[in-house]
């Protein structure tokens, strides 16, 4: 470790709106959406970085950055408040010759090449802020070095019937990539790109500069940079990842990923001393479970007061569930109240929500209903009925 | 009026020997996720005090581990912040058979360098055996307005049920809140109890320290306070919020159980803009399994509950196995209970292990205590 040089710098793309999360991202960027009770989505790639020994992370923000900026702050929760390195928020900026929004993922990195060069990095790790997974990037970097690659792309084996939703890598037996197809109709491989890339810094810089000079480019890694490098015959390898990985870009996948935390042997285990996920904490008291409460198969965070019935739920900090309320198969993001006698079934409630006394939100999951979503700060009147599949925001 | 804080981490250790065998009073775990010092520190930080001296004595490893750089209380500062003041003995003193300080006054004299260098107008002195969420600004303002030398924070309480094992300070005052008497006693009935929080003007503090060196005084209450009543300007400030005092293991148990009342939680945890801060442990949220049955309990993060928990307090990372019944108990951090265990009126210290099928029961007047790393 050399104090004034970083071998690998991570660039975390966190500027996307996440429009398929609808009401949940009207006021918040997708990476700042709450997950798993006390976390936000971005806590996963950030914690993966520090757990992998990467202590220099640029977070590229653009859409609704307030909540994200506040969450990241000086990086203290992740030990990323460093004298040299640490976490830096990189918003679009005004330059002498130009002032652009980030036009695409590649352009966002291009505009911040100065940040990467500041640390004299040999490798650049590109991450996105919309996946839930635990991954050791250091192992991927070892693989990248071992293969002598110019670019390594992490891939995960997906079922063939789902392969057409992803960017698919076709590889030779040695792991080198010979073909990349974005969302193929007839996939010839099940190696899906996880949107995690390691580049040799010089190579990346060359391709980003060439891409910037091309007026027809959409300045995107998946659409432009990767195909261009492949066409030019650069050494590109697929790094196979095994383990839990989920894109939480849709309402249903976000709900499912939360539910993956439940059960006696959860698919996603966060109670893991060897790979902790760090988060910014609200200073709440312990959770209190009342004398008439009933809680089954649920994940509950500090600061909650539970007096009602809770079944199969993931509940964030500061949630009040009053006497006689019934909450089932739902994700309650935090700092919200479910008043006495209210019923919430198969729903996602964002922070600041109030469900009035006796109100009914959603329907039994077993009935085949859709998820009801109540966005940040919405108040549901007492006795009101919110249909399944509703998408409410203020 | 600006203020600096001084916290005594070890005074009153002897009142709960079970809990302080391996730690300071300041680092005794309380309320699911706190240590006693969190209340004193949070009260100071929430009142805008950003310079705090922490006076330690012995057994303070767990305290240092808890405090770290002080960043969880926002006290990792370039100027000010938290300063740990360990006992001060030179090699020469040691050879001459000098002992560690034995009283509050000697502790203060050991911290004289820190105190002298503070330029704040007054000091807030606090012990760690008191649990409350108090607005110290109001005390400091009152102190400034009255021009007092010392303002003692008192609480009018009926001490009959407080299970105090040692002498405590009881203060009498006139209608203008001037102190008329200060006694160390084992009181009964309703009294004006000294809360072990006081505000001392800087000048007065400097004079007391100089005077004590000159006269060889050793006891703050006997040699200074009780001699000066009627001469110095001593006043009281009556605190009327929720308050608990740890005077023995039984009172530790009783104070903890009070947290199961709305009154205690509202008065301690849910005071607007005055959160109780503590070291962040990054545990995952608590998991309740299908067979979990939890009633009237306070539960910290990182627990896994598969059994029954009633009228109890679970600290971070406690595991309650299948078929296990925990009633009226306090299980500290990382206590592990196997399956079909039965606990009633039990206090387990950190990392205790209770294996499958064990039955343990104490009584609320004498809770069954299992020490740190103990295994049954």
């Amino acid at each position: 470790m050399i104090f004034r040089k970083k071998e690998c710098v991570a660039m975390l793309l966190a500027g996307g709106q996440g429009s398929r999360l609808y009401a949940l991202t009207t006021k918040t960027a997708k990476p700042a959406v709450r997950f798993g009770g006390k976390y936000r989505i971005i806590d996963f790639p950030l914690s993966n970085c520090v757990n992998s020994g990467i202590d220099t992370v640029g977070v590229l923000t653009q859409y609704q950055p307030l909540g994200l900026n506040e969450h990241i702050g000086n990086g203290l929760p992740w030990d990323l408040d460093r004298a040299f390195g640490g976490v830096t928020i990189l918003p679009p900026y005004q330059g002498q010759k130009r002032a652009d929004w980030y036009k695409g993922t590649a352009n966002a990195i291009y505009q911040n090449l100065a940040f990467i060069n500041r640390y004299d990095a040999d490798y650049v790790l590109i991450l996105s802020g919309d996946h839930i997974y635990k991954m050791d990037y250091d192992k991927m970097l070892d693989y990248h070095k071992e293969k002598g690659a110019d670019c390594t792309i992490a891939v995960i084996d997906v079922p063939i019937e789902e392969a057409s939703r992803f960017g698919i890598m076709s590889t030779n037996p040695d792991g080198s990539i010979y073909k990349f197809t974005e969302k193929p109709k007839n996939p010839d491989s099940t190696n899906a790109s996880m949107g995690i890339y390691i580049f040799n810094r010089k190579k990346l810089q060359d391709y980003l500069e060439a891409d910037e000079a091309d007026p027809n480019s959409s300045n995107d890694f998946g659409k432009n940079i990767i195909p261009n490098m492949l066409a030019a015959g650069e050494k590109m390898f697929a790094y196979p990842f095994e383990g839990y990985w989920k894109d939480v870009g849709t309402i249903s996948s976000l709900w499912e990923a939360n539910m993956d935390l439940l059960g006696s042997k959860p698919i996603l285990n966060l109670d893991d001393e060897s790979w902790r996920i760090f988060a910014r904490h609200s200073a709440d008291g312990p959770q209190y479970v009342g004398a008439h409460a009933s809680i089954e198969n649920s994940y509950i965070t500090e600061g909650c007061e539970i007096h009602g019935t809770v079944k199969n739920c993931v509940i964030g900090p500061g949630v009040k569930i009053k006497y006689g309320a019934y909450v089932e198969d739902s994700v309650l993001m935090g700092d919200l109240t479910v008043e006495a006698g209210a019923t919430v079934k198969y729903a996602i409630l964002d922070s600041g929500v109030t469900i009035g006394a006796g109100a009914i939100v959603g329907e039994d999951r077993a009935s085949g209903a859709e998820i009801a979503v109540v966005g940040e700060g919405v108040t549901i009147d007492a006795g009101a009925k919110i249909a399944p599949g509703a998408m409410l925001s203020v | 009026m600006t203020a600096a804080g001084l916290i005594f981490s070890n005074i009153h250790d002897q009142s709960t020997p079970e809990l302080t065998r391996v730690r300071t009073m300041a680092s005794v775990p309380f309320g699911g996720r706190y240590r006693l010092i969190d209340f004193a520190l949070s009260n100071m930080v929430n009142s805008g005090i950003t310079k705090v001296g922490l006076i330690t004595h012995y057994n303070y490893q767990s305290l240092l581990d808890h405090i770290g750089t002080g960043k969880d209380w926002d006290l990792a500062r370039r100027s000010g912040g938290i300063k740990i003041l360990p006992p001060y003995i030179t090699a020469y003193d040691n050879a001459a058979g000098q002992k560690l300080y034995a009283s509050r006054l000697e502790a203060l004299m050991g911290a004289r360098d820190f105190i002298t260098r503070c330029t704040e107008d007054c000091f807030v002195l606090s012990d760690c055996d008191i649990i409350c969420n108090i607005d110290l600004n109001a005390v400091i303002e009152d102190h400034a307005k009255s021009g007092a030398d010392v303002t003692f924070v008192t609480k009018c309480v009926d001490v009959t049920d407080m299970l105090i094992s040692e002498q405590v300070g009881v203060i009498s005052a006139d209608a203008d809140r001037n102190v008329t008497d200060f006694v160390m006693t084992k009181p009964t009935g309703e009294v004006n109890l000294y809360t072990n929080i006081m505000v001392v003007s800087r000048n007065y503090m400097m004079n007391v320290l100089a005077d004590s060196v000159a006269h060889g005084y050793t006891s703050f209450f006997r040699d200074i306070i009780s001699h000066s009543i009627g001469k110095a300007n001593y006043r009281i400030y009556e605190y009327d919020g929720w308050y608990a005092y740890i005077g023995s293991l039984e009172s530790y148990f009783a104070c903890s159980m009070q947290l199961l009342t709305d009154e205690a939680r509202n008065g301690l945890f849910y005071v607007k803009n005055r959160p109780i801060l503590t070291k962040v442990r990054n545990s995952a949220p608590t998991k309740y399994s299908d067979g979990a049955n939890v009633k009237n309990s306070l539960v910290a993060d990182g627990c896994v509950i598969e059994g029954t928990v009633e009228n109890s307090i679970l600290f971070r990372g406690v595991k309650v196995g299948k078929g296990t019944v925990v009633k009226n108990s306090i299980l500290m951090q990382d206590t592990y209970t196997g399956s079909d265990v039965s606990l009633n009126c039990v206090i387990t210290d950190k990392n205790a292990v209770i294996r499958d099928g064990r039955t343990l029961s104490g009584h609320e007047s004498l809770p069954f205590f299992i020490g740190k790393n103990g295994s049954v």
Side-chain angles (χ1 to χ4, degrees):
Chain A
M1 169 70 91
I2 308 162
F3 193 69
R4 291 290 176 198
K5 175 184 166 68
K6 304 290 180 187
E7 185 189 32
C8 181
V9 164
M11 300 295 273
L12 178 45
L13 297 158
Q17 178 182 357
S19 54
R20 287 171 304 151
L21 288 176
Y22 306 97
L24 301 177
T25 51
T26 50
K27 291 181 191 166
T28 320
K30 178 158 75 168
V33 167
R34 300 203 203 200
F35 175 82
K38 59 163 52 166
Y39 308 96
R40 292 177 190 259
I41 296 169
I42 197 170
D43 292 337
F44 287 80
L46 276 181
S47 301
N48 287 341
C49 280
V50 294
N51 288 336
S52 307
I54 295 170
D55 66 2
T56 307
V57 185
V59 178
L60 299 114
T61 61
Q62 178 155 290
Y63 175 79
Q64 287 283 22
L66 180 63
L68 197 54
N69 288 347
E70 190 186 9
H71 182 66
I72 292 171
N74 65 352
L76 185 147
W78 305 271
D79 252 350
L80 288 173
D81 50 337
R82 296 293 174 90
F84 187 72
V87 67
T88 307
I89 304 251
L90 302 168
Y93 57 90
Q94 193 167 36
Q96 198 177 20
K97 292 195 183 125
R98 65 172 92 196
D100 274 334
W101 292 104
Y102 293 148
K103 292 178 284 183
T105 50
N107 176 256
I109 304 297
Y110 170 80
Q111 290 201 39
N112 290 289
L113 280 170
F115 173 82
I116 296 167
N117 293 335
R118 172 83 187 78
Y119 296 101
D120 196 15
D122 301 324
Y123 305 101
V124 181
L125 169 66
I126 309 284
L127 302 168
S128 62
D130 39 15
H131 299 122
I132 301 294
Y133 63 112
K134 297 191 282 186
M135 179 176 177
D136 189 344
Y137 303 134
D138 197 39
K139 284 192 182 144
M140 180 174 168
L141 184 59
D142 284 346
Y143 178 92
H144 178 83
K145 288 191 243 178
E146 189 189 301
K147 295 287 183 186
D150 296 308
C151 169
T152 300
I153 301 170
V155 295
I156 190 160
D157 194 31
V158 294
I160 187 82
E161 57 272 18
E162 284 184 30
S164 51
R165 287 172 41 216
F166 296 94
I168 294 296
M169 306 286 160
S170 308
T171 54
N172 298 310
D174 68 343
S176 59
I177 301 166
Y178 65 85
K179 192 172 125 196
F180 168 74
T181 340
E182 188 76 66
K183 302 195 171 83
K185 284 210 178 70
N186 300 303
D188 55 6
S189 152
T190 54
N191 280 332
S193 166
M194 297 163 67
I196 300 166
Y197 314 107
I198 292 177
F199 291 96
N200 288 352
R201 193 245 298 188
K202 286 216 165 58
K203 208 57 113 181
L204 176 66
Q205 186 158 355
D206 292 346
Y207 276 88
L208 286 177
E209 281 165 0
D211 178 67
E212 193 60 19
D214 175 4
N216 299 319
S217 171
S218 47
N219 307 115
D220 186 87
F221 275 100
K223 287 186 194 133
N224 308 105
I225 303 292
I226 304 297
N228 289 350
M229 285 182 79
L230 207 53
E234 305 289 357
K235 290 181 79 180
M236 302 179 73
F237 282 81
Y239 171 75
F241 172 74
E242 284 173 11
Y244 185 91
W245 177 81
K246 195 147 200 153
D247 183 329
V248 287
T250 63
I251 294 291
S252 59
S253 66
L254 180 67
W255 183 89
E256 280 165 22
N258 273 289
M259 293 301 141
D260 288 342
L261 296 163
L262 302 180
S264 56
K265 292 245 162 24
I267 319 172
L268 173 60
N269 178 23
L270 300 183
D271 190 13
D272 178 357
E273 292 285 302
S274 67
W275 203 267
R276 279 195 209 183
I277 304 300
F278 303 95
R280 185 169 287 277
H281 285 246
S282 43
D284 289 311
Q287 49 197 278
Y288 175 72
V289 183
H292 304 284
S294 165
I295 305 175
E296 266 179 52
N297 190 36
S298 293
Y299 213 51
I300 302 183
T301 312
E302 280 157 345
C304 291
E305 293 255 338
I306 313 286
H307 297 278
T309 301
V310 175
K311 256 187 197 168
N312 312 328
C313 288
V314 173
I315 298 183
V319 169
K320 312 271 181 267
I321 297 180
K322 300 279 176 70
Y323 180 72
Y326 185 92
V327 188
E328 185 184 71
D329 298 324
S330 295
V331 177
L332 278 56
M333 300 250 183
D335 303 310
L336 61 91
T337 305
V338 180
E339 294 288 356
T343 302
V344 177
K345 285 183 178 174
Y346 199 33
I348 297 179
L349 311 183
D350 205 347
S351 56
V353 163
T354 303
I355 308 294
I360 297 171
V361 177
E363 248 174 47
D364 263 356
R365 184 167 173 247
S367 71
E370 301 223 357
I371 301 171
V373 178
V374 183
E376 189 177 337
V378 172
T379 299
I380 306 293
D381 294 334
K385 194 167 185 318
I386 305 301
M391 181 66 63
L392 306 176
S393 60
V394 284
Chain B
M1 187 173 248
T2 55
L6 274 172
I7 296 178
F8 296 86
S9 65
N10 288 80
I11 285 182
H12 315 292
D13 275 6
Q14 62 278 20
S15 56
T16 56
E18 300 88 345
L19 297 170
T20 53
R21 190 173 61 81
V22 290
R23 56 170 77 86
T24 64
M25 194 70 177
S27 45
V28 166
F30 184 81
R33 58 187 303 245
Y34 305 98
R35 291 179 185 256
L36 290 180
I37 193 171
D38 293 338
F39 302 96
L41 264 185
S42 301
N43 285 335
M44 290 185 180
V45 171
N46 288 331
S47 305
I49 295 174
T50 56
K51 188 191 280 183
V52 179
L54 177 56
I55 297 178
T56 62
H57 196 189
Y58 46 79
N59 267 353
Y60 52 87
Q61 213 168 66
S62 64
L63 183 62
L64 296 188
D65 177 56
H66 182 67
I67 297 294
T69 60
K71 65 174 153 188
D72 287 318
W73 298 265
D74 208 9
L75 286 174
R77 303 273 177 123
R78 181 76 62 193
S79 73
I82 194 156
K83 287 267 189 305
I84 308 224
L85 306 170
Y88 182 84
I89 281 192
T90 65
Y92 172 79
D93 291 336
N94 204 18
Q98 277 275 343
K99 294 268 167 37
L100 285 181
Y101 70 80
S103 72
R104 185 185 301 273
L105 188 59
E106 287 174 1
L108 281 173
M109 287 197 278
R112 244 175 114 183
D113 280 354
F114 173 81
I115 292 169
T116 312
R117 251 180 282 133
C118 287
T119 52
E120 283 75 7
D121 304 320
C122 66
F123 293 94
V124 177
L125 276 61
S126 178
D127 296 349
C128 290
D129 51 351
I130 32 152
I131 299 151
C132 63
N133 189 330
I134 181 175
D135 180 6
L136 291 173
N137 266 332
V139 187
I140 294 164
E141 270 173 36
D142 186 66
H143 179 81
K145 216 193 282 171
S146 71
D149 294 323
V150 181
T151 301
F152 299 96
V153 178
T154 63
K155 166 86 181 162
C156 186
V157 279
D158 187 342
V159 291
T160 317
D161 299 325
M162 283 179 65
L163 306 163
I164 293 169
S165 67
E166 293 214 312
Q167 292 193 330
V168 292
V170 172
I171 300 181
S172 316
D174 63 19
D176 294 329
R177 298 197 277 125
N178 293 307
V179 174
T180 55
D181 198 12
F182 189 120
V183 289
M184 297 299 289
T185 175
K186 272 195 183 178
T188 49
E190 199 176 79
V191 295
N192 225 356
L193 188 71
Y194 168 49
T195 62
N196 296 334
I197 299 173
M198 65 177 133
V199 178
V200 183
S201 292
R202 184 176 191 279
N203 286 343
Y204 188 74
M205 175 75 94
M206 299 311 296
N207 290 341
V208 162
L209 293 184
D211 213 26
S212 305
V213 173
H215 293 89
Y217 291 155
T218 55
S219 166
F220 193 71
F221 291 110
R222 190 189 62 217
D223 297 334
I224 314 274
I225 304 292
S226 40
H227 281 186
S228 311
I229 287 171
K231 297 175 209 151
N233 188 355
Y234 292 161
R235 294 174 56 79
I236 61 165
Y237 175 94
E238 288 166 291
Y239 169 65
D240 59 359
W242 187 82
Y243 170 88
Y245 179 91
I246 309 286
S248 61
L249 188 67
E250 301 81 73
S251 87
Y252 173 85
F253 185 77
C255 291
S256 298
M257 289 304 161
Q258 272 192 47
L259 294 176
L260 300 178
T261 65
D262 288 346
E263 187 202 355
R265 286 197 312 283
N266 291 335
L268 192 60
F269 300 137
Y270 302 132
V271 181
K272 201 180 174 206
N273 296 335
R274 297 215 306 267
I276 304 298
L277 306 166
T278 187
K279 181 183 175 185
V280 170
R281 196 189 179 218
N282 280 299
S283 329
T286 280
K287 204 151 104 190
Y288 297 78
S289 81
D290 269 334
N293 180 10
V294 183
K295 308 274 184 217
N296 190 36
S297 294
L298 203 57
V299 182
D301 274 2
C303 297
V304 177
I305 306 176
E306 299 179 69
T308 298
V309 179
E310 275 178 37
N311 311 327
S312 294
I313 293 171
L314 306 189
F315 282 68
R316 295 186 276 205
V318 169
K319 306 277 185 283
V320 177
K322 278 200 181 85
T324 288
V325 178
V326 178
K327 285 186 179 172
N328 312 311
S329 294
I330 299 169
L331 308 186
M332 289 189 200
Q333 193 168 309
D334 296 326
T335 293
Y336 174 90
T337 68
S339 50
D340 301 312
V341 168
S342 171
L343 303 180
N344 182 38
C345 291
V346 172
I347 300 177
T348 63
D349 207 324
K350 279 176 76 175
N351 295 319
V353 175
I354 299 151
R355 290 181 217 287
D356 294 359
R358 305 288 196 266
T359 299
L360 302 173
S361 182
H363 186 264
E364 50 192 66
S365 63
L366 188 63
F368 187 89
F369 180 77
I370 299 170
K372 190 173 172 182
N373 304 324
S375 165
V376 179

